[in-house]
Amino acid sequence: MASHCIAQFMEGNILGATKPITLYTHTQRYNHLCSLSMNGCKAPNPITPLGMIETRTFSAVSSPSMAMDRLNSAITDLGFNPPVFDSGIIRLQVPIEHQIEAIDWLRAQPQFHHLPRCFFSGRRQPRINGVDDDDTHLFDYDHDSSPVSIAGLGSAVFFRHFTPFSLHDWRSIKRFLSKKCPLIRAYGAIRFDALANISSEWEAFGSFFFMIPQVEFNEFEGSSMLVTTIAWDQSLSWTFGEAVHALQATMRQVSSSIVKLRKEVPKTSILSSNNVPSKKLWDFGVNRALQMINKDDSPLTKVVLARSSIIRTSPDIDPLTWLASLQVEGKNAYQFCLQPPDAPSFIGNTPEQLFHRNRFDIYSEAMAGTRARGDSKALDLQIALDLLSSSKDDNEFAIVRECIRRKLEAVCTTILVEPRKTIRKLPRVQHLYARLRGRLRSEDDEFDILSSLHPTPAVCGFPTEEARVLIAETETFDRGMYAGPVGWFGGGESEFAVGIRSALVEKGLGALIYAGTGIVKGSCSSQEWDELELKTSQFTKLMKLEVLSVDTKNTILSEK
């Protein structure tokens, strides 16, 4: 395991003053990353197809331990009867006759830091019916054949680089995927700003990090599935024999027991807390952004500024326990966890979809403007109506919606926006919301969709480049994967959320909780700060935090 240290950083201050900020960092670089698998990005020619892509399904069993036995036998048989191809990927899957939560399976696994982990849970789509959020329907794809959530351990093949995510990288990932094997998927995330310097806490993630798990647990409606995947490619110096040996080594560490997670975090006390930027520097940054927005000759109409809240707790925060507790916050959100080897866990509970592609159909969303939920139905409705009638929030929302629509038009034959504006309600907050649907001219346009939609005005601003530059000049911390695309690529289908409402967590070192808010003409820095508090409260409220000691110069993360 990499050694760690607590380091002192200086918070940049445009006014000239500096003060120490405690962050965590890793003293060891991640050159050994994923030593038990291959980096698919190094393929000499990502257009060259694999020799074989195959899914083998065995008969259903009644327990995870029986599924483990069946898979171990199948892996042994493969070792004795290797394929004749120089490259390929084989998925072995054993259905389990009852539903087990994927996050419970992952939590039961021993935490070997050299093995990467991932978790991704989809969400239910809000019915388009104004402010009524009680009724929901499922996504447009066939939910019977798509997992509710997946958990992965180890990587059959991973994809990571320090250069920005490129067409070459996308093709390298797609090379291992096939429409004939729709559940072979690459799960991961991309940095918010690939041009920004990568800080030590985000180093293991690179500019992007995706993995096809070696061992995977799929949770379906009413059933489950235990899966192993073997990938090999002699052009990447990774033979079939090496892939089998690595998988067997991982399988020896996998537990077949299940630990049912409590959907709450034990009472935890904050040992220290700090916001970057501080309230004083936040006010200065917002006012500076407003000065630029209000200039007659400025093209900038919106910029999203973010905050990193650094907390250390006693006892330690377990990332998966924390993530499980976030599920209480509502079914209409994506949950995710991504952890490269010897690295912190990036976890989140995000309501925002970047896009979902099913063959030629593409879906996206526009979401902006935030209000708290009301304590009563009458108050909740009044707050929603206030949000709908707010000219400031309408301006912010229209920027997001129209920008996404224009980007979809570049690669789609038809675009439908329905509704143009309504309310999306979540357990703690409500937002302005619109849904967009398009028809791709080609499935290969997926890379263009991803690269053009990210970053959206909801997490960056508009115009994009002007907003990105201002963010880089103003923010004194590395966003990393926060506000970047988080999700998965499949053969004929892909789905990405926006990595907001998220945190970077490591036991023994605490957590960095991220939140942002859109600055437009009419914004007030104090009100925007309150919005940050509201957005981060889903983490702090669930923990029932009691502050023991803080730097009085900084804003305390308190219960609201």
Side-chain angles (χ1 to χ4, degrees):
M1 178 181 176
S3 56
H4 306 100
C5 69
I6 299 295
Q8 294 291 318
F9 290 81
M10 303 304 291
E11 181 179 4
N13 186 337
I14 346 181
L15 295 171
T18 58
K19 60 186 176 190
I21 300 298
T22 302
L23 297 172
Y24 60 74
T25 183
H26 297 258
T27 57
Q28 180 174 322
R29 295 185 64 87
Y30 298 92
N31 296 328
H32 63 290
L33 184 74
C34 292
S35 57
L36 294 178
S37 61
M38 60 181 168
N39 187 347
C41 284
K42 294 183 177 179
N45 186 358
I47 300 178
T48 303
L50 294 181
M52 66 178 296
I53 300 180
E54 183 178 325
T55 295
R56 301 181 186 180
T57 304
F58 300 92
S59 56
V61 297
S62 59
S63 69
S65 60
M66 294 177 67
M68 285 279 292
D69 291 341
R70 187 68 191 88
L71 288 171
N72 279 321
S73 296
I75 295 167
T76 300
D77 291 343
L78 270 177
F80 286 124
N81 300 283
V84 297
F85 300 99
D86 290 339
S87 63
I89 185 167
I90 302 175
R91 175 183 167 100
L92 308 173
Q93 55 188 35
V94 179
I96 300 172
E97 293 169 344
H98 57 281
Q99 185 173 357
I100 299 170
E101 292 191 42
I103 197 169
D104 290 342
W105 177 86
L106 187 58
R107 182 64 181 84
Q109 303 311 312
Q111 295 189 35
F112 296 100
H113 295 276
H114 65 281
L115 290 177
R117 300 190 297 178
C118 67
F119 174 83
F120 188 85
S121 178
R123 63 167 201 194
R124 293 178 179 267
Q125 181 72 6
R127 188 180 296 278
I128 306 303
N129 63 345
V131 297
D132 184 2
D133 62 321
D134 294 328
D135 296 325
T136 57
H137 67 84
L138 297 177
F139 258 108
D140 302 272
Y141 54 78
D142 181 5
H143 226 71
D144 291 335
S145 60
S146 187
V148 173
S149 58
I150 76 95
L153 187 67
S155 61
V157 54
F158 73 99
F159 308 88
R160 170 185 179 266
H161 212 290
F162 280 96
T163 57
F165 188 70
S166 66
L167 180 62
H168 178 280
D169 300 317
W170 177 77
R171 286 173 173 165
S172 297
I173 295 174
K174 299 294 282 189
R175 181 169 174 256
F176 286 85
L177 309 176
S178 169
K179 295 176 186 177
K180 296 180 180 178
C181 302
L183 293 184
I184 297 179
R185 298 172 174 177
Y187 298 89
I190 301 172
R191 280 177 63 82
F192 168 77
D193 186 356
L195 300 179
N197 292 329
I198 300 177
S199 61
S200 57
E201 67 269 20
W202 287 106
E203 186 178 3
F205 293 82
S207 288
F208 57 90
F209 180 86
F210 287 88
M211 58 183 278
I212 299 176
Q214 272 184 316
V215 184
E216 189 176 324
F217 196 92
N218 293 174
E219 175 191 349
F220 297 88
E221 292 285 356
S223 65
S224 309
M225 186 180 287
L226 189 63
V227 181
T228 58
T229 300
I230 302 171
W232 71 99
D233 188 346
Q234 292 191 17
S235 70
L236 293 171
S237 302
W238 188 250
T239 66
F240 179 80
E242 289 172 315
V244 170
H245 177 76
L247 176 57
Q248 289 174 328
T250 299
M251 287 290 282
R252 285 193 290 269
Q253 302 174 70
V254 172
S255 170
S256 59
S257 64
I258 302 297
V259 177
K260 188 67 178 175
L261 283 173
R262 296 177 62 187
K263 303 298 188 194
E264 62 182 26
V265 174
K267 188 171 183 179
T268 306
S269 298
I270 293 180
L271 300 179
S272 62
S273 69
N274 190 57
N275 291 315
V276 180
S278 64
K279 178 63 165 60
K280 181 177 180 180
L281 289 183
W282 170 263
D283 291 341
F284 186 90
V286 171
N287 292 332
R288 179 171 177 263
L290 287 172
Q291 289 176 2
M292 297 185 67
I293 290 171
N294 292 327
K295 285 182 179 179
D296 293 337
D297 58 345
S298 174
L300 190 66
T301 57
K302 175 183 177 179
V303 64
V304 178
L305 297 180
R307 184 184 76 182
S308 170
S309 299
I310 309 163
I311 65 171
R312 295 194 67 196
T313 65
S314 177
D316 283 339
I317 302 168
D318 176 73
L320 291 178
T321 303
W322 204 0
L323 186 60
S325 70
L326 293 176
Q327 294 179 346
V328 181
E329 289 287 285
K331 57 195 173 187
N332 291 333
Y334 296 95
Q335 275 99 26
F336 61 85
C337 174
L338 185 65
Q339 184 178 22
D342 296 325
S345 297
F346 179 47
I347 67 170
N349 187 68
T350 174
E352 189 166 345
Q353 179 189 80
L354 183 63
F355 74 89
H356 166 230
R357 180 184 72 85
N358 190 356
R359 300 297 177 94
F360 289 94
D361 290 324
I362 188 91
Y363 305 88
S364 189
E365 296 175 348
M367 198 159 63
T370 304
R371 294 287 191 280
R373 296 295 301 269
D375 294 332
S376 66
K377 284 189 175 181
L379 179 58
D380 199 52
L381 177 59
Q382 183 57 51
I383 293 172
L385 293 174
D386 175 70
L387 180 56
L388 282 168
S389 61
S390 165
S391 58
K392 177 261 180 185
D393 290 290
D394 180 72
N395 178 37
E396 180 182 351
F397 174 71
I399 291 171
V400 175
R401 182 190 61 210
E402 295 310 304
C403 179
I404 295 174
R405 182 184 60 80
R406 286 193 297 269
K407 289 179 177 180
L408 288 177
E409 284 177 342
V411 290
C412 291
T413 55
T414 57
I415 298 292
L416 178 66
V417 183
E418 187 180 6
R420 292 189 62 80
K421 183 171 76 170
T422 188
I423 293 290
R424 172 83 187 277
K425 294 196 175 188
L426 301 167
R428 296 185 185 277
V429 296
Q430 45 193 320
H431 307 281
L432 295 175
Y433 172 87
R435 196 173 190 214
L436 299 92
R437 178 175 181 173
R439 183 77 175 172
L440 290 176
R441 297 186 179 94
S442 166
E443 291 187 59
D444 288 341
D445 288 333
E446 178 181 72
F447 173 76
D448 293 328
I449 286 288
L450 177 60
S451 57
S452 64
L453 283 182
H454 172 74
T456 71
V459 294
C460 181
F462 187 80
T464 301
E465 184 57 22
E466 285 81 352
R468 188 196 67 79
V469 170
L470 181 56
I471 289 169
E473 292 174 351
T474 304
E475 294 180 359
T476 57
F477 64 92
D478 179 14
R479 288 193 181 190
M481 270 57 183
Y482 161 70
V486 181
W488 52 271
F489 290 109
E493 186 179 355
S494 301
E495 185 168 11
F496 281 84
V498 182
I500 57 174
R501 313 292 202 275
S502 55
L504 194 65
V505 187
E506 184 160 19
K507 293 183 68 174
L509 296 174
L512 302 174
I513 305 173
Y514 301 94
T517 181
I519 310 302
V520 297
K521 187 175 294 187
S523 293
C524 169
S525 63
S526 294
Q527 291 176 356
E528 303 300 336
W529 183 268
D530 291 341
E531 183 174 318
L532 296 177
E533 294 284 276
L534 181 63
K535 288 176 176 177
T536 58
S537 69
Q538 69 168 327
F539 286 97
T540 57
K541 273 281 192 177
L542 288 170
M543 290 167 47
K544 301 176 182 177
L545 297 176
E546 177 183 349
V547 177
L548 296 182
S549 62
V550 296
D551 182 349
T552 56
K553 295 180 181 179
N554 300 314
T555 300
I556 298 173
L557 283 173
S558 59
E559 294 192 42
K560 295 177 71 67

